[in-house]
């Protein structure tokens, strides 16, 4: 096995080219890359990945150039996960591939968009962004001559599908099994999941402060923030606001990631898995925070939900985006020919099939494309 950075080899329980459960359609292994590097590269070359740059994380893209988008969020998630994989000697390329793909199925307008589309789809099987991310890589990306989708490995697909209802799990076959038998995904998937939360907790603080929606005083109620705030304040009393904020946030990320690595290493050592099968069979994920850190992390999530995601200015955009998506959905349902030819041609005979095609089309839209489609359909002055 290749050594990384000349330091150490992958642990036997890490996902690897040797223990993969393979691809849906058999392919010869790549000549110069590992199989998970190939997955990562296919994700980066996908259309859905490029669209992430114009999709909302919390702030709609046109609200300002400096806020995170789904693309920069995904890059930050990958960066955090990669650091931890190196520390734990597990598969860096797999974790990176999962992180870069984890939000591919997100609708325009962030969670407001997801909720709105899920409402529209209530009678037609619902809409869930994790499942949609899997649908994007398995079916909707049409690029390769020999197979539909990106034909990613089982391990990357398993990591992308981080939640799933029992009903959907039954329909998904092997990839859904772990939601029925309550087993764990590979460590790299567990890690991608936590790295996502670490990334958004921290960058949403940064974006929230930048937008003036939350304040340092409010954040000082949170122990995770106040501890680092006090250290930075006493060491660098003269620092300007931007550097002050960034210095606190980078220290918070460091503290949280260090705790995650240490506690996960301890948990793995206690389980002492001999193989990836042992990791899967464990009662609980091995990638975890210490109890004390978990509490602070959850508290910060709660703070952001109450003070940022529910902020009047964020909710204003939420209401607007809900109206846009509902209008698009009903327009395309009653008149599929308003969609591009390939989508219009794909609508089946019954309403459920039609709704799924409409949902695929809407979910793929960027924020600004959804807004321009809304104008095209509803504004008599806009050329059709
Ligand atoms: Mg995410």
């Amino acid at each position: 096995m290749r050594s990384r950075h000349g330091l150490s080899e992958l642990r036997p329980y890490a996902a690897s080219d040797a223990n993969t459960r393979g691809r849906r359609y058999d392919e010869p292994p790549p000549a110069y890359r590992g199989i998970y590097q190939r997955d990562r590269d296919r994700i980066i070359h996908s259309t859905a990945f490029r669209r992430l740059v114009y999709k909302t994380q919390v702030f709609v893209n046109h609200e300002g150039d400096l806020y995170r988008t789904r693309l920069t969020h995904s890059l930050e998630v990958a960066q955090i996960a990669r650091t931890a994989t190196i520390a734990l000697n597990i598969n860096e390329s797999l974790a990176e591939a999962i992180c870069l793909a984890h939000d591919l199925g997100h609708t325009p307008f962030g969670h407001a968009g997801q909720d709105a589309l899920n409402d529209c789809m209530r009678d037609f099987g619902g809409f869930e962004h994790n499942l949609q991310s899997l649908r994007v890589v398995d079916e909707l990306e049409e690029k390769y001559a020999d197979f539909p989708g990106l034909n990613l490995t089982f391990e990357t697909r398993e990591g992308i599908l981080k939640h799933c209802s029992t009903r959907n799990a039954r329909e998904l076959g092997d990839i859904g099994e772990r939601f029925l038998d309550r087993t764990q995904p590979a460590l790299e998937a567990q890690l991608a999941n936590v790295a996502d939360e670490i990334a958004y907790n921290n960058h949403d603080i940064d974006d929230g402060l930048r937008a003036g929606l939350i304040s340092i005083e409010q954040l000082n109620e949170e122990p995770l923030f106040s501890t680092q705030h006090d250290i930075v304040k006493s060491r660098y009393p003269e620092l300007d606001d931007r550097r002050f904020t960034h210095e606190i946030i980078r220290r918070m990320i460091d503290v949280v990631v260090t705790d995650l690595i240490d506690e996960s290493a301890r948990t793995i050592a206690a389980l002492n898995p001999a193989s990836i099968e042992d990791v899967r069979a464990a009662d609980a994920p091995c990638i975890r925070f210490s109890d004390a850190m978990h509490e602070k992390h959850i508290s910060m999530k709660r703070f952001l939900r109450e003070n940022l995601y529910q902020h009047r200015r964020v909710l204003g955009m939420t209401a607007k985006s809900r109206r846009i998506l509902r209008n698009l959905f009903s327009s395309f349902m009653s008149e599929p020919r308003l969609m591009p030819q390939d989508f219009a041609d794909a609508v089946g005979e019954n309403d459920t099939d039609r709704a799924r095609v409409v949902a695929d089309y809407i979910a793929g839209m960027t924020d600004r494309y959804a807004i321009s489609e809304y104008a095209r359909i509803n504004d008599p002055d806009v050329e059709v």
Side-chain angles (χ1 to χ4, degrees):
M1 208 164 286
R2 278 175 311 134
S3 80
R4 294 167 313 149
H5 314 290
L7 293 176
S8 49
E9 300 204 331
L10 282 183
R11 300 286 189 221
Y13 47 78
S16 72
D17 291 26
N19 65 26
T20 180
R21 289 177 64 176
R23 300 178 190 276
R24 293 166 86 202
Y25 303 88
D26 267 345
E27 287 184 68
Y32 305 108
R33 296 170 289 178
I35 54 171
Y36 302 120
Q37 286 173 304
R38 172 183 266 173
D39 280 3
R40 178 203 58 200
D41 297 347
R42 284 185 180 172
I43 291 159
I44 288 176
H45 285 287
S46 72
T47 310
F49 186 71
R50 288 195 294 283
R51 286 183 179 142
L52 293 178
V53 72
Y54 296 114
K55 289 199 182 200
T56 293
Q57 183 65 26
V58 173
F59 297 88
V60 174
N61 186 265
H62 62 251
E63 289 181 292
D65 291 345
L66 292 174
Y67 298 118
R68 268 67 174 188
T69 67
R70 290 256 166 229
L71 181 66
T72 58
H73 160 69
S74 301
L75 295 174
E76 290 184 32
V77 177
Q79 176 269 320
I80 288 168
R82 286 171 56 205
T83 302
T85 59
I86 293 164
L88 296 168
N89 290 307
I90 58 176
N91 203 302
E92 180 181 357
S93 297
L94 172 57
E96 186 180 15
I98 296 168
C99 294
L100 294 180
H102 85 284
D103 274 350
L104 290 179
H106 256 289
T107 61
F109 311 122
H111 280 280
Q114 133 93 25
D115 292 346
L117 196 52
N118 190 27
D119 272 353
C120 295
M121 289 293 288
R122 185 168 293 154
D123 296 334
F124 311 110
F127 178 87
E128 209 280 303
H129 65 85
N130 277 304
L131 199 54
Q132 190 69 10
S133 295
L134 187 66
R135 207 168 142 71
V136 167
V137 301
D138 278 356
E139 289 172 47
L140 299 179
E141 281 288 326
E142 290 176 320
K143 305 186 97 76
Y144 297 90
D146 291 329
F147 44 79
L150 305 180
N151 199 29
L152 304 180
T153 59
F154 179 89
E155 293 74 27
T156 302
R157 296 170 60 236
E158 154 187 80
I160 291 171
L161 190 68
K162 60 180 171 186
H163 309 292
C164 183
S165 68
T166 316
R167 186 169 52 92
N168 287 327
R170 282 202 196 92
E171 284 172 22
L172 287 170
D174 59 0
I175 208 80
E177 269 166 25
R178 74 180 168 96
F179 300 98
L180 302 173
D181 61 19
R182 308 266 162 214
T183 53
Q184 310 305 322
L187 293 174
E188 293 80 358
Q190 298 178 24
L191 179 58
N193 193 9
V194 185
D196 184 23
E197 297 196 358
I198 296 174
Y200 68 63
N201 255 8
N202 284 285
H203 65 48
D204 289 350
I205 292 172
D206 188 37
D207 283 352
L209 283 169
R210 187 188 300 279
L213 302 187
I214 51 176
S215 68
I216 300 274
E217 291 68 38
Q218 279 178 302
L219 280 160
N220 268 331
E221 302 288 315
E222 288 300 313
L224 210 48
F225 188 92
S226 64
T227 309
Q228 302 311 317
H229 172 273
D230 294 351
I231 294 171
V232 176
K233 188 97 202 160
S234 72
R235 282 200 204 159
Y236 309 98
E238 305 299 327
L239 218 50
D240 68 65
D241 287 356
R242 281 312 308 163
R243 288 173 75 183
F244 183 65
T245 304
H246 187 261
E247 187 64 33
I248 296 170
I249 291 173
R250 79 142 175 132
R251 282 161 185 270
M252 276 199 300
I253 296 174
D254 187 56
V255 166
V256 171
V257 171
T258 301
D259 180 274
L260 182 72
I261 290 168
D262 291 347
E263 186 64 22
S264 301
R266 268 194 292 276
T267 311
I268 293 168
L271 180 71
N272 193 21
S275 66
I276 190 169
E277 284 75 31
D278 290 348
V279 169
R280 293 187 196 278
D283 292 336
C286 285
I287 303 294
R288 60 186 303 268
F289 293 122
S290 66
D291 291 344
M293 183 57 74
H294 182 72
E295 205 172 296
K296 292 180 201 165
H297 172 79
I298 295 296
S299 175
M300 184 60 90
K301 277 177 80 162
R302 197 183 313 120
F303 171 89
L304 289 167
R305 192 168 56 240
E306 286 168 7
N307 296 287
L308 182 60
Y309 313 142
Q310 311 274 9
H311 192 283
R312 198 174 53 81
R313 263 173 57 199
V314 174
L315 290 181
M317 196 60 222
T318 301
K320 213 183 280 184
S321 45
R322 201 180 300 131
R323 266 199 303 282
I324 293 174
L325 287 204
R326 281 192 187 146
N327 178 283
L328 290 177
F329 186 83
S330 60
S331 303
F332 297 137
M333 277 302 275
S334 56
E335 195 45 79
R337 296 276 145 208
L338 286 170
M339 295 190 290
Q341 194 71 47
D342 46 338
F343 284 94
D345 288 347
V347 297
E349 288 299 301
N350 66 61
D351 280 357
T352 304
D353 292 350
R354 176 181 291 196
R356 187 56 61 191
V357 172
V358 170
D360 285 341
Y361 179 48
I362 292 176
M365 293 179 182
T366 60
D367 297 352
R368 60 182 187 175
Y369 186 73
I371 292 167
S372 78
E373 279 290 88
Y374 178 81
R376 180 179 67 91
I377 290 169
N378 295 287
D379 186 343
D381 294 333
V382 174
E383 220 173 289
V384 178

